[in-house]
Structure formats: structure tokens, C-alpha cells
Amino acid sequence: MANQDCIFCKIVAGEIPSDKVFQDEWVTAFRDINPLAPTHILIIPNNHLTSTNDLTPYHAAMAGRMLTVVPELAAKEGIVESGYRLIMNTGPDGNQVVMHMHLHLLGGHRMKHAMG
Ligand code: AMP
Ligand code: ZN
């Protein structure tokens, strides 16, 4: 269920280039093109969801995988002990720019404590 105009659907399908670090039947993870930290990975569902607003109980397995892949990626990045921040932006007030749900994994240097 790809959205024809969606850049992240095209990344899942391999139709535009990306630096993929993980893919399984549920999710794809790739490096953010404009990294805000030494590790900046985006974890996205393979099927198009606009945002967390589209989530239903049907998506539980996929949504669980979006989180359970995090420690695997953190281990590969060497940031398990140093730590990291997970961010999901939803809608205009959440500053969501790409309308395909995604989880930011940011690490490799100390984050500012405050949000925003
Ligand atoms: P958000 O503000 O949460 O919607 O963040 C969207 C993120 O997607 C930004 O951090 C962008 O740098 C990133 N991004 C946009 N296009 C691409 C792309 N083609 N490959 C990798 N990351 C991208
Ligand atoms: Zn999409």
C-alpha cells in the first residue's frame, strides 16, 4: 500500500536512493539526509501511514517493531550506553514535514535537556 507521491514510500520500494541500515517485513530504517546528530536514523513503516493519527490496533505488530528495532540499531551505532533520543512528530504543531509516519533515532552527542 504505497502512496504514489510519498518520498518515504519510494525509499521503502528502493525507487529513490537512501542509506538504508535495516529492513524487514514491517519497517525500514535509513539515515536522515540532514542529520542533526552523529547518529540520525529514521524508522518508518513499510506501508504508508500519514502519522500516528492513522494508528489502529491492527498496526500493533508494526508499531511494536518500530520500537523493538531501536536497541538493535543502537547497538550497531555504538550508542547503547551513551544513550539517544526518540522523536515522532505529528501534524503542524508537531513540526511534521514528511507525511509518512517516522521515528527519529538521534544519538552520538549529548542532547539539550529541554524539548524544542
Ligand atoms: P519531520 O520534521 O519529523 O517530518 O522530519 C522529516 C525528516 O526527513 C527530516 O529530518 C529530513 O531531513 C528527512 N528527510 C527528508 N527527505 C529525506 C530523504 N530523501 N532521505 C532521508 N531523509 C530525508
Ligand atoms: Zn508513504
Side-chain angles (χ1 to χ4, degrees), residues 2-3 6-10 47-49 99-100:
N3 179 324
C6 173
I7 190 168
F8 284 3
C9 282
K10 290 191 168 87
N47 289 328
H48 184 84
L49 292 182
M99 291 299 155
H100 180 128

PDB file of all heavy atoms in Angstrom, residues 2-3 6-10 47-49 99-100, ligand 2:
ATOM      1  N   ALA A   2       1.464   1.538  -1.141  1.00  0.00           N
ATOM      2  CA  ALA A   2       2.318   2.708  -1.240  1.00  0.00           C
ATOM      3  C   ALA A   2       1.506   3.908  -1.716  1.00  0.00           C
ATOM      4  O   ALA A   2       0.562   3.767  -2.492  1.00  0.00           O
ATOM      5  CB  ALA A   2       3.471   2.431  -2.192  1.00  0.00           C
ATOM      6  N   ASN A   3       1.894   5.065  -1.213  1.00  0.00           N
ATOM      7  CA  ASN A   3       1.313   6.323  -1.667  1.00  0.00           C
ATOM      8  C   ASN A   3       2.222   6.834  -2.789  1.00  0.00           C
ATOM      9  O   ASN A   3       3.407   7.067  -2.579  1.00  0.00           O
ATOM     10  CB  ASN A   3       1.259   7.297  -0.484  1.00  0.00           C
ATOM     11  CG  ASN A   3       0.700   8.643  -0.865  1.00  0.00           C
ATOM     12  OD1 ASN A   3       0.944   9.132  -1.962  1.00  0.00           O
ATOM     13  ND2 ASN A   3      -0.047   9.238   0.035  1.00  0.00           N
ATOM     14  N   CYS A   6       4.566   9.791  -2.207  1.00  0.00           N
ATOM     15  CA  CYS A   6       5.249   9.835  -0.916  1.00  0.00           C
ATOM     16  C   CYS A   6       6.722   9.443  -1.062  1.00  0.00           C
ATOM     17  O   CYS A   6       7.050   8.347  -1.509  1.00  0.00           O
ATOM     18  CB  CYS A   6       4.549   8.911   0.069  1.00  0.00           C
ATOM     19  SG  CYS A   6       5.428   8.754   1.624  1.00  0.00           S
ATOM     20  N   ILE A   7       7.602  10.357  -0.641  1.00  0.00           N
ATOM     21  CA  ILE A   7       9.039  10.120  -0.780  1.00  0.00           C
ATOM     22  C   ILE A   7       9.488   8.932   0.057  1.00  0.00           C
ATOM     23  O   ILE A   7      10.365   8.155  -0.361  1.00  0.00           O
ATOM     24  CB  ILE A   7       9.812  11.415  -0.430  1.00  0.00           C
ATOM     25  CG1 ILE A   7      11.268  11.285  -0.789  1.00  0.00           C
ATOM     26  CG2 ILE A   7       9.635  11.798   1.009  1.00  0.00           C
ATOM     27  CD1 ILE A   7      12.010  12.600  -0.740  1.00  0.00           C
ATOM     28  N   PHE A   8       8.913   8.741   1.240  1.00  0.00           N
ATOM     29  CA  PHE A   8       9.340   7.623   2.081  1.00  0.00           C
ATOM     30  C   PHE A   8       8.819   6.283   1.555  1.00  0.00           C
ATOM     31  O   PHE A   8       9.501   5.263   1.697  1.00  0.00           O
ATOM     32  CB  PHE A   8       8.924   7.851   3.536  1.00  0.00           C
ATOM     33  CG  PHE A   8       9.789   8.857   4.276  1.00  0.00           C
ATOM     34  CD1 PHE A   8      10.814   9.540   3.636  1.00  0.00           C
ATOM     35  CD2 PHE A   8       9.579   9.110   5.618  1.00  0.00           C
ATOM     36  CE1 PHE A   8      11.607  10.465   4.301  1.00  0.00           C
ATOM     37  CE2 PHE A   8      10.373  10.024   6.311  1.00  0.00           C
ATOM     38  CZ  PHE A   8      11.383  10.702   5.655  1.00  0.00           C
ATOM     39  N   CYS A   9       7.638   6.269   0.910  1.00  0.00           N
ATOM     40  CA  CYS A   9       7.193   5.048   0.233  1.00  0.00           C
ATOM     41  C   CYS A   9       8.170   4.673  -0.878  1.00  0.00           C
ATOM     42  O   CYS A   9       8.470   3.491  -1.086  1.00  0.00           O
ATOM     43  CB  CYS A   9       5.792   5.222  -0.340  1.00  0.00           C
ATOM     44  SG  CYS A   9       4.465   5.080   0.866  1.00  0.00           S
ATOM     45  N   LYS A  10       8.692   5.681  -1.566  1.00  0.00           N
ATOM     46  CA  LYS A  10       9.658   5.425  -2.641  1.00  0.00           C
ATOM     47  C   LYS A  10      10.972   4.887  -2.060  1.00  0.00           C
ATOM     48  O   LYS A  10      11.633   4.045  -2.676  1.00  0.00           O
ATOM     49  CB  LYS A  10       9.912   6.703  -3.448  1.00  0.00           C
ATOM     50  CG  LYS A  10       8.724   7.133  -4.292  1.00  0.00           C
ATOM     51  CD  LYS A  10       9.127   8.248  -5.260  1.00  0.00           C
ATOM     52  CE  LYS A  10       8.064   8.504  -6.311  1.00  0.00           C
ATOM     53  NZ  LYS A  10       7.053   9.451  -5.888  1.00  0.00           N
ATOM     54  N   ASN A  47       4.423   0.089   5.036  1.00  0.00           N
ATOM     55  CA  ASN A  47       3.150   0.520   4.445  1.00  0.00           C
ATOM     56  C   ASN A  47       2.878   1.969   4.829  1.00  0.00           C
ATOM     57  O   ASN A  47       3.206   2.393   5.945  1.00  0.00           O
ATOM     58  CB  ASN A  47       2.009  -0.361   4.924  1.00  0.00           C
ATOM     59  CG  ASN A  47       2.073  -1.751   4.323  1.00  0.00           C
ATOM     60  OD1 ASN A  47       2.535  -1.938   3.197  1.00  0.00           O
ATOM     61  ND2 ASN A  47       1.640  -2.741   5.084  1.00  0.00           N
ATOM     62  N   HIS A  48       2.264   2.696   3.928  1.00  0.00           N
ATOM     63  CA  HIS A  48       2.067   4.128   4.157  1.00  0.00           C
ATOM     64  C   HIS A  48       1.072   4.393   5.278  1.00  0.00           C
ATOM     65  O   HIS A  48      -0.087   3.955   5.214  1.00  0.00           O
ATOM     66  CB  HIS A  48       1.584   4.820   2.885  1.00  0.00           C
ATOM     67  CG  HIS A  48       1.454   6.303   3.053  1.00  0.00           C
ATOM     68  ND1 HIS A  48       2.526   7.155   2.900  1.00  0.00           N
ATOM     69  CD2 HIS A  48       0.404   7.075   3.401  1.00  0.00           C
ATOM     70  CE1 HIS A  48       2.139   8.394   3.134  1.00  0.00           C
ATOM     71  NE2 HIS A  48       0.847   8.370   3.454  1.00  0.00           N
ATOM     72  N   LEU A  49       1.512   5.105   6.290  1.00  0.00           N
ATOM     73  CA  LEU A  49       0.652   5.718   7.300  1.00  0.00           C
ATOM     74  C   LEU A  49       1.071   7.174   7.342  1.00  0.00           C
ATOM     75  O   LEU A  49       2.275   7.470   7.364  1.00  0.00           O
ATOM     76  CB  LEU A  49       0.858   5.106   8.686  1.00  0.00           C
ATOM     77  CG  LEU A  49       0.437   3.659   8.945  1.00  0.00           C
ATOM     78  CD1 LEU A  49       0.698   3.315  10.396  1.00  0.00           C
ATOM     79  CD2 LEU A  49      -1.012   3.455   8.610  1.00  0.00           C
ATOM     80  N   MET A  99       4.993  13.485   5.374  1.00  0.00           N
ATOM     81  CA  MET A  99       3.710  12.912   5.796  1.00  0.00           C
ATOM     82  C   MET A  99       3.673  11.397   5.605  1.00  0.00           C
ATOM     83  O   MET A  99       2.741  10.856   5.002  1.00  0.00           O
ATOM     84  CB  MET A  99       2.579  13.608   5.028  1.00  0.00           C
ATOM     85  CG  MET A  99       2.416  15.053   5.450  1.00  0.00           C
ATOM     86  SD  MET A  99       1.997  15.164   7.187  1.00  0.00           S
ATOM     87  CE  MET A  99       2.602  16.781   7.584  1.00  0.00           C
ATOM     88  N   HIS A 100       4.715  10.739   6.067  1.00  0.00           N
ATOM     89  CA  HIS A 100       4.751   9.278   6.210  1.00  0.00           C
ATOM     90  C   HIS A 100       5.325   9.059   7.604  1.00  0.00           C
ATOM     91  O   HIS A 100       6.452   9.503   7.887  1.00  0.00           O
ATOM     92  CB  HIS A 100       5.626   8.656   5.116  1.00  0.00           C
ATOM     93  CG  HIS A 100       5.741   7.160   5.140  1.00  0.00           C
ATOM     94  ND1 HIS A 100       5.499   6.374   4.026  1.00  0.00           N
ATOM     95  CD2 HIS A 100       6.122   6.307   6.120  1.00  0.00           C
ATOM     96  CE1 HIS A 100       5.706   5.103   4.331  1.00  0.00           C
ATOM     97  NE2 HIS A 100       6.101   5.037   5.608  1.00  0.00           N
TER      98      HIS A 100
HETATM   99 ZN    ZN B   2       4.465   6.841   2.341  1.00  0.00          ZN
END
